[in-house]
Amino acid sequence: MATATGIYHRTYASELRLRSTRAEYFRLALIVLLLLLMPFVLDNYWLSIVNVILIAVIGAVGLNILTGYTGQISLGQGGFLAVGAYSSAILSERMGLPVPLAIFFAVLLTAVIGTFFGLPGLRLKGLYLAIATLASQFIIEFVIRRWGWLTEDKGYITLSRLEVFGWKLPRDSFEQSWYWILMILTVLVVLAARKLFRTGLGRSFMAVRDQDIAAEAIGVNLTRAKLTAFAVSSGFVGLAGALTAHYTETVTWEAFTLNVSILYLAMIIVGGLGSVAGAVYGAIFMSLLPVLIRTASDVVGPAAPWLSAQLPAIQNAVFGLVIILFLIIEPRGLNRLWERAKEFIRFWPFRY
């Protein structure tokens, strides 16, 4: 049968499996098939959008580890993306490190810096912690704008085309080659995040989020849990920043402003806090939203020329409206809507 009216486990191994029913395996097969077919059915324009979404998924999963699972609000996402991008660009272009090594050390550096800025989280909560992480955004942005050594006083860094172990990415299949690289890395990041919260460390993150005093009472080391959450989250974000640098082949501070931090926060709010799948849904939705608005503007543009002139303002208005609607109607985001749809099909024709 395609759906199950009850899921029963006889062993711990069965309970810990990521998939339990035939319907779940069927959906997984459809996702795999879609991922494999995508570069063959999409043109370069839409494939470039998919590549941007894949990078956004990595960053959103990282932020959700910190904010959704550990309850530590962060508004410094853009700054940590910048750390990953600038450090990877400098290590690969100026110091001559192979790109995989440059990305690896960029991830480590971003994790260290994220841990440093996470120190206020040992004493602060809620709005106060959000202000502290907001300070990290402004500090990092100030450094990359004012420290001329980073860009050799040019204001930007230009990167060579991606080369891995002697293989140089072909220009004629640029988007297709990047798709396979980003798709594999994104799948690995999502699986790693899913596995993380099935371990004792991941469960300690959730305990800190739910009630840190009770967590400490049962033996959770709050200092280690909070700082580790900042480190892991920042490492994922640093990976997204490094991939952004090598994909766009240009690093400039305009790509890592406060607006980027707010965008990533919106992704996990719309997708669903405390859910890896929600981070994926939110990244897809919020990355596609501006594209869909621009497409709609092009369609109705001849009939309403004023729409094109006001497009940036319309995008901001729609962006804010979407966040407000989700907070009011479904605070648990797209992931909860998807779960409710599955429950409806699973129990149909019964209501519960």
Side-chain angles (χ1 to χ4, degrees), residues 17-81:
R17 284 186 304 190
L18 293 177
R19 301 287 185 272
S20 301
T21 65
R22 292 180 182 179
E24 290 175 334
Y25 281 106
F26 178 72
R27 290 195 295 269
L28 178 62
L30 287 181
I31 293 173
V32 171
L33 182 63
L34 176 64
L35 291 176
L36 293 177
L37 291 178
M38 200 169 292
F40 302 105
V41 298
L42 296 180
D43 58 24
N44 285 338
Y45 171 73
W46 283 103
L47 202 56
S48 67
I49 294 173
V50 172
N51 288 338
V52 171
I53 291 174
L54 291 175
I55 296 175
V57 167
I58 296 175
V61 169
L63 180 60
N64 214 359
I65 289 173
L66 182 64
T67 302
Y69 281 99
T70 318
Q72 307 294 293
I73 302 175
S74 175
L75 292 175
Q77 190 83 342
F80 299 137
L81 286 167

Coordinates of all heavy atoms in Angstrom, one line a residue, residues 17-81:
R17 N 15.6 4.8 11.4 CA 15.7 4.9 10.0 C 15.1 6.3 9.5 O 14.1 6.7 10.0 CB 15.0 3.8 9.3 CG 15.9 2.5 9.3 CD 15.2 1.4 8.5 NE 13.8 1.2 8.9 CZ 13.1 0.1 8.4 NH1 13.6 -0.7 7.6 NH2 11.9 0.0 8.9
L18 N 15.7 6.9 8.5 CA 15.2 8.1 8.0 C 13.9 7.9 7.2 O 13.1 8.8 7.1 CB 16.2 8.8 7.0 CG 17.5 9.3 7.7 CD1 18.5 9.8 6.7 CD2 17.2 10.3 8.8
R19 N 13.7 6.7 6.7 CA 12.4 6.4 5.9 C 11.8 5.2 6.5 O 12.5 4.2 6.8 CB 12.7 6.2 4.4 CG 13.4 7.4 3.7 CD 12.4 8.5 3.5 NE 13.0 9.6 2.7 CZ 13.7 10.6 3.2 NH1 13.9 10.6 4.6 NH2 14.2 11.5 2.5
S20 N 10.5 5.2 6.7 CA 9.8 4.1 7.3 C 8.7 3.5 6.4 O 8.3 2.3 6.6 CB 9.2 4.5 8.6 OG 10.2 5.0 9.5
T21 N 8.2 4.2 5.5 CA 7.1 3.7 4.7 C 7.4 3.7 3.2 O 8.3 4.3 2.8 CB 5.8 4.6 4.9 OG1 6.0 5.9 4.4 CG2 5.4 4.7 6.4
R22 N 6.6 2.9 2.4 CA 6.8 2.9 1.0 C 6.6 4.3 0.4 O 7.3 4.6 -0.6 CB 5.9 1.9 0.4 CG 6.2 0.4 0.8 CD 5.2 -0.5 0.1 NE 5.4 -1.9 0.5 CZ 4.7 -2.9 0.1 NH1 3.7 -2.7 -0.7 NH2 5.0 -4.2 0.5
A23 N 5.6 5.0 0.9 CA 5.4 6.3 0.4 C 6.6 7.2 0.5 O 6.9 8.0 -0.4 CB 4.2 6.9 1.1
E24 N 7.3 7.1 1.6 CA 8.5 7.9 1.8 C 9.6 7.5 0.9 O 10.3 8.4 0.3 CB 8.9 7.8 3.3 CG 8.0 8.5 4.3 CD 8.4 8.2 5.7 OE1 9.1 7.2 6.0 OE2 8.1 9.0 6.6
Y25 N 9.7 6.3 0.6 CA 10.7 5.8 -0.3 C 10.4 6.2 -1.8 O 11.2 6.6 -2.6 CB 10.9 4.3 -0.3 CG 11.8 3.9 0.9 CD1 11.2 3.3 2.0 CD2 13.2 4.0 0.9 CE1 12.0 2.8 3.1 CE2 13.9 3.6 1.9 CZ 13.4 3.0 3.0 OH 14.2 2.7 4.1
F26 N 9.1 6.2 -2.1 CA 8.6 6.6 -3.4 C 8.9 8.1 -3.6 O 9.4 8.5 -4.7 CB 7.1 6.4 -3.5 CG 6.5 6.8 -4.8 CD1 6.8 6.1 -6.0 CD2 5.7 7.9 -4.9 CE1 6.2 6.5 -7.2 CE2 5.1 8.3 -6.1 CZ 5.4 7.6 -7.2
R27 N 8.6 9.0 -2.6 CA 8.9 10.4 -2.7 C 10.4 10.6 -2.9 O 10.8 11.5 -3.6 CB 8.3 11.1 -1.5 CG 6.8 11.2 -1.5 CD 6.4 12.3 -0.5 NE 6.7 11.9 0.9 CZ 5.9 11.2 1.7 NH1 4.8 10.8 1.3 NH2 6.3 11.0 3.0
L28 N 11.2 9.8 -2.1 CA 12.7 10.0 -2.2 C 13.1 9.6 -3.6 O 14.0 10.3 -4.2 CB 13.3 9.1 -1.2 CG 14.9 9.0 -1.2 CD1 15.4 10.4 -0.9 CD2 15.4 8.0 -0.3
A29 N 12.5 8.6 -4.2 CA 12.9 8.2 -5.6 C 12.5 9.3 -6.6 O 13.3 9.6 -7.5 CB 12.2 6.9 -6.0
L30 N 11.4 10.0 -6.4 CA 11.0 11.1 -7.3 C 12.0 12.2 -7.1 O 12.3 12.8 -8.2 CB 9.6 11.5 -6.9 CG 8.4 10.6 -7.3 CD1 7.1 11.2 -6.9 CD2 8.4 10.4 -8.8
I31 N 12.4 12.5 -5.9 CA 13.4 13.6 -5.7 C 14.7 13.3 -6.4 O 15.3 14.2 -7.1 CB 13.6 13.9 -4.2 CG1 12.3 14.4 -3.6 CG2 14.7 14.9 -4.0 CD1 12.3 14.5 -2.1
V32 N 15.2 12.1 -6.3 CA 16.4 11.7 -6.9 C 16.3 11.8 -8.4 O 17.2 12.3 -9.1 CB 16.8 10.2 -6.5 CG1 18.0 9.7 -7.3 CG2 17.1 10.2 -5.0
L33 N 15.2 11.3 -9.0 CA 14.9 11.4 -10.4 C 14.9 12.8 -10.9 O 15.5 13.2 -11.9 CB 13.6 10.7 -10.7 CG 13.3 10.6 -12.2 CD1 14.3 9.8 -13.0 CD2 11.9 10.0 -12.4
L34 N 14.3 13.7 -10.1 CA 14.2 15.1 -10.5 C 15.6 15.7 -10.5 O 15.9 16.5 -11.4 CB 13.3 15.8 -9.5 CG 13.2 17.4 -9.7 CD1 12.5 17.7 -11.0 CD2 12.4 18.0 -8.5
L35 N 16.4 15.4 -9.4 CA 17.7 16.0 -9.4 C 18.6 15.5 -10.5 O 19.4 16.3 -11.0 CB 18.4 15.6 -8.0 CG 17.8 16.3 -6.8 CD1 18.4 15.7 -5.5 CD2 17.9 17.8 -6.8
L36 N 18.4 14.3 -10.9 CA 19.2 13.7 -12.0 C 18.8 14.3 -13.4 O 19.7 14.5 -14.3 CB 19.1 12.2 -12.0 CG 19.8 11.5 -10.9 CD1 19.5 10.0 -11.0 CD2 21.3 11.8 -10.7
L37 N 17.5 14.6 -13.5 CA 17.1 15.1 -14.8 C 17.2 16.6 -15.0 O 17.2 17.1 -16.2 CB 15.6 14.7 -15.0 CG 15.3 13.2 -15.2 CD1 13.8 13.0 -15.3 CD2 16.0 12.6 -16.4
M38 N 17.3 17.3 -13.9 CA 17.2 18.8 -14.0 C 18.2 19.4 -14.9 O 17.9 20.3 -15.7 CB 17.4 19.4 -12.6 CG 16.9 20.8 -12.4 SD 16.8 21.3 -10.7 CE 15.5 20.2 -10.1
P39 N 19.5 19.0 -14.9 CA 20.5 19.7 -15.8 C 20.2 19.4 -17.3 O 20.7 20.1 -18.2 CB 21.8 19.2 -15.4 CG 21.5 17.9 -14.7 CD 20.2 18.1 -14.1
F40 N 19.4 18.4 -17.6 CA 19.1 18.0 -19.0 C 17.9 18.7 -19.5 O 17.7 18.7 -20.7 CB 19.0 16.5 -19.1 CG 20.2 15.8 -18.7 CD1 20.3 15.1 -17.4 CD2 21.4 15.7 -19.4 CE1 21.4 14.4 -17.0 CE2 22.5 15.1 -19.0 CZ 22.5 14.4 -17.8
V41 N 17.0 19.2 -18.7 CA 15.7 19.7 -19.1 C 15.7 21.2 -18.9 O 14.8 21.9 -19.5 CB 14.5 19.1 -18.4 CG1 14.5 17.6 -18.7 CG2 14.6 19.3 -16.9
L42 N 16.6 21.8 -18.1 CA 16.5 23.3 -17.9 C 17.6 24.0 -18.7 O 18.7 23.4 -19.0 CB 16.8 23.6 -16.4 CG 15.8 23.1 -15.4 CD1 16.2 23.5 -14.0 CD2 14.4 23.6 -15.7
D43 N 17.3 25.2 -19.2 CA 18.3 26.0 -19.9 C 19.2 26.6 -18.9 O 19.1 26.5 -17.7 CB 17.6 27.0 -20.8 CG 16.7 28.0 -20.0 OD1 16.9 28.1 -18.8 OD2 15.8 28.5 -20.6
N44 N 20.2 27.3 -19.4 CA 21.3 27.9 -18.6 C 20.7 28.9 -17.6 O 21.2 29.0 -16.4 CB 22.4 28.5 -19.4 CG 23.3 27.5 -20.0 OD1 23.4 26.4 -19.6 ND2 23.9 27.9 -21.1
Y45 N 19.7 29.7 -18.0 CA 19.1 30.7 -17.1 C 18.5 30.0 -15.9 O 18.8 30.4 -14.7 CB 18.1 31.5 -17.8 CG 17.3 32.4 -16.9 CD1 17.9 33.6 -16.4 CD2 15.9 32.1 -16.6 CE1 17.1 34.4 -15.6 CE2 15.2 33.0 -15.8 CZ 15.8 34.1 -15.3 OH 15.1 34.9 -14.4
W46 N 17.6 29.1 -16.1 CA 17.0 28.4 -14.9 C 17.9 27.6 -14.2 O 17.8 27.4 -12.9 CB 15.8 27.6 -15.4 CG 14.6 28.5 -15.7 CD1 14.2 28.9 -17.0 CD2 13.7 29.2 -14.8 NE1 13.1 29.7 -16.9 CE2 12.8 29.9 -15.6 CE3 13.7 29.2 -13.4 CZ2 11.8 30.7 -15.0 CZ3 12.7 30.0 -12.8 CH2 11.8 30.7 -13.6
L47 N 18.9 27.0 -14.8 CA 19.9 26.2 -14.1 C 20.8 27.1 -13.2 O 21.2 26.6 -12.1 CB 20.8 25.4 -15.1 CG 21.5 24.2 -14.5 CD1 20.5 23.2 -13.9 CD2 22.3 23.5 -15.6
S48 N 21.0 28.3 -13.7 CA 21.8 29.2 -12.8 C 21.0 29.6 -11.5 O 21.5 29.7 -10.4 CB 22.1 30.5 -13.6 OG 21.0 31.3 -13.9
I49 N 19.7 29.7 -11.7 CA 18.8 30.0 -10.5 C 18.8 28.8 -9.6 O 18.9 28.9 -8.4 CB 17.4 30.3 -11.0 CG1 17.4 31.6 -11.8 CG2 16.4 30.4 -9.8 CD1 16.0 31.9 -12.4
V50 N 18.8 27.6 -10.1 CA 18.8 26.4 -9.3 C 20.2 26.3 -8.6 O 20.2 25.9 -7.4 CB 18.7 25.1 -10.2 CG1 18.9 23.8 -9.4 CG2 17.3 25.1 -10.8
N51 N 21.3 26.7 -9.2 CA 22.6 26.7 -8.5 C 22.6 27.7 -7.4 O 23.1 27.4 -6.3 CB 23.7 27.0 -9.5 CG 23.9 25.9 -10.5 OD1 23.6 24.7 -10.2 ND2 24.5 26.2 -11.7
V52 N 22.0 28.8 -7.6 CA 21.9 29.8 -6.5 C 21.1 29.2 -5.3 O 21.4 29.4 -4.1 CB 21.3 31.1 -7.0 CG1 21.0 32.1 -5.8 CG2 22.3 31.8 -8.0
I53 N 20.0 28.5 -5.7 CA 19.2 27.9 -4.6 C 19.9 26.9 -3.8 O 19.8 26.8 -2.6 CB 17.9 27.3 -5.3 CG1 17.0 28.4 -5.8 CG2 17.1 26.4 -4.3 CD1 15.8 27.9 -6.6
L54 N 20.7 26.1 -4.5 CA 21.5 25.0 -3.8 C 22.5 25.7 -2.8 O 22.6 25.2 -1.7 CB 22.3 24.2 -4.9 CG 21.4 23.3 -5.8 CD1 22.3 22.6 -6.8 CD2 20.6 22.3 -4.9
I55 N 23.1 26.8 -3.2 CA 24.0 27.4 -2.3 C 23.2 28.0 -1.1 O 23.6 27.9 0.1 CB 24.8 28.5 -3.0 CG1 25.7 27.9 -4.0 CG2 25.6 29.4 -2.0 CD1 26.4 29.0 -4.9
A56 N 22.0 28.6 -1.4 CA 21.2 29.1 -0.3 C 20.7 28.0 0.6 O 20.6 28.3 1.8 CB 20.0 29.8 -1.0
V57 N 20.5 26.8 0.1 CA 20.0 25.7 1.0 C 21.1 25.4 2.0 O 20.8 25.2 3.2 CB 19.7 24.5 0.1 CG1 19.6 23.2 1.0 CG2 18.4 24.7 -0.6
I58 N 22.4 25.4 1.6 CA 23.5 25.1 2.5 C 23.5 26.2 3.6 O 23.6 25.9 4.8 CB 24.8 25.1 1.8 CG1 24.8 23.9 0.8 CG2 26.0 25.0 2.7 CD1 26.1 23.9 -0.1
G59 N 23.4 27.5 3.2 CA 23.4 28.5 4.2 C 22.2 28.5 5.1 O 22.3 28.8 6.3
A60 N 21.1 28.2 4.6 CA 19.8 28.2 5.4 C 19.9 27.0 6.4 O 19.4 27.1 7.5 CB 18.6 28.1 4.5
V61 N 20.4 25.9 6.0 CA 20.5 24.7 6.9 C 21.4 25.1 8.0 O 21.2 24.8 9.2 CB 21.0 23.5 6.1 CG1 21.4 22.4 7.1 CG2 20.0 23.0 5.2
G62 N 22.5 25.8 7.7 CA 23.5 26.2 8.8 C 22.8 27.2 9.8 O 23.0 27.0 11.0
L63 N 22.0 28.1 9.3 CA 21.4 29.1 10.2 C 20.3 28.4 11.0 O 20.1 28.7 12.2 CB 20.8 30.2 9.3 CG 20.0 31.3 10.2 CD1 21.0 32.0 11.2 CD2 19.4 32.4 9.2
N64 N 19.6 27.4 10.4 CA 18.6 26.7 11.1 C 19.1 25.9 12.3 O 18.5 25.7 13.3 CB 17.7 25.9 10.2 CG 16.3 25.8 10.6 OD1 15.9 26.4 11.6 ND2 15.5 25.1 9.8
I65 N 20.3 25.4 12.1 CA 21.0 24.6 13.2 C 21.1 25.5 14.4 O 20.9 25.1 15.5 CB 22.4 24.1 12.7 CG1 22.2 23.0 11.7 CG2 23.2 23.7 13.9 CD1 23.5 22.5 11.1
L66 N 21.5 26.8 14.2 CA 21.7 27.7 15.3 C 20.4 28.3 15.8 O 20.2 28.3 17.0 CB 22.6 28.8 14.8 CG 23.0 29.9 15.9 CD1 23.8 29.3 17.0 CD2 23.8 31.0 15.2
T67 N 19.6 28.8 14.9 CA 18.4 29.5 15.4 C 17.2 28.6 15.6 O 16.5 28.7 16.6 CB 18.0 30.6 14.3 OG1 19.1 31.5 14.1 CG2 16.8 31.3 14.7
G68 N 17.0 27.7 14.6 CA 15.8 26.8 14.8 C 16.0 25.7 15.8 O 15.0 25.3 16.5
Y69 N 17.2 25.1 15.8 CA 17.4 23.9 16.7 C 18.0 24.3 18.0 O 17.7 23.6 19.0 CB 18.3 22.9 16.0 CG 17.6 22.1 15.0 CD1 17.7 22.4 13.6 CD2 16.8 20.9 15.4 CE1 17.0 21.6 12.7 CE2 16.2 20.1 14.4 CZ 16.3 20.5 13.1 OH 15.6 19.7 12.2
T70 N 18.8 25.3 18.1 CA 19.4 25.7 19.4 C 18.8 26.9 20.0 O 19.1 27.2 21.2 CB 20.9 25.9 19.1 OG1 21.5 24.9 18.3 CG2 21.7 25.9 20.4
G71 N 18.0 27.6 19.3 CA 17.3 28.8 19.8 C 18.2 30.0 20.0 O 17.8 30.9 20.8
Q72 N 19.3 30.1 19.3 CA 20.2 31.2 19.4 C 20.0 32.1 18.1 O 20.4 31.7 17.0 CB 21.7 30.8 19.4 CG 21.9 29.8 20.5 CD 21.8 30.4 21.9 OE1 22.5 31.2 22.3 NE2 20.7 29.9 22.6
I73 N 19.3 33.2 18.3 CA 19.0 34.1 17.2 C 20.2 34.7 16.6 O 21.1 35.2 17.4 CB 18.0 35.2 17.6 CG1 16.7 34.5 18.1 CG2 17.6 36.1 16.4 CD1 15.7 35.5 18.7
S74 N 20.4 34.7 15.3 CA 21.6 35.3 14.7 C 21.1 36.2 13.5 O 20.4 35.8 12.6 CB 22.5 34.2 14.1 OG 23.6 34.7 13.4
L75 N 21.7 37.4 13.5 CA 21.5 38.3 12.4 C 22.9 38.6 11.7 O 23.0 39.7 11.1 CB 20.9 39.6 12.9 CG 19.4 39.5 13.4 CD1 19.0 40.8 14.0 CD2 18.5 39.1 12.3
G76 N 23.8 37.7 11.8 CA 25.1 37.9 11.3 C 25.4 37.0 10.1 O 26.6 36.8 9.7
Q77 N 24.4 36.5 9.5 CA 24.6 35.5 8.4 C 25.4 36.1 7.2 O 26.3 35.5 6.7 CB 23.2 35.0 7.9 CG 23.3 33.9 6.9 CD 23.4 32.6 7.7 OE1 23.7 32.5 8.8 NE2 23.1 31.5 7.0
G78 N 25.1 37.3 6.8 CA 25.8 38.0 5.7 C 27.3 38.1 6.0 O 28.2 37.9 5.2
G79 N 27.6 38.5 7.3 CA 29.0 38.6 7.7 C 29.8 37.3 7.6 O 30.9 37.2 7.1
F80 N 29.2 36.2 8.1 CA 29.8 34.9 8.0 C 29.9 34.4 6.6 O 30.9 33.7 6.3 CB 29.1 33.9 8.9 CG 29.0 34.3 10.4 CD1 27.8 34.2 11.1 CD2 30.1 34.8 11.0 CE1 27.8 34.6 12.4 CE2 30.1 35.2 12.3 CZ 28.9 35.1 13.0
L81 N 29.0 34.7 5.8 CA 29.1 34.3 4.3 C 30.3 35.1 3.8 O 31.1 34.5 3.0 CB 27.9 34.7 3.6 CG 26.6 33.9 3.8 CD1 25.4 34.6 3.2 CD2 26.8 32.5 3.1

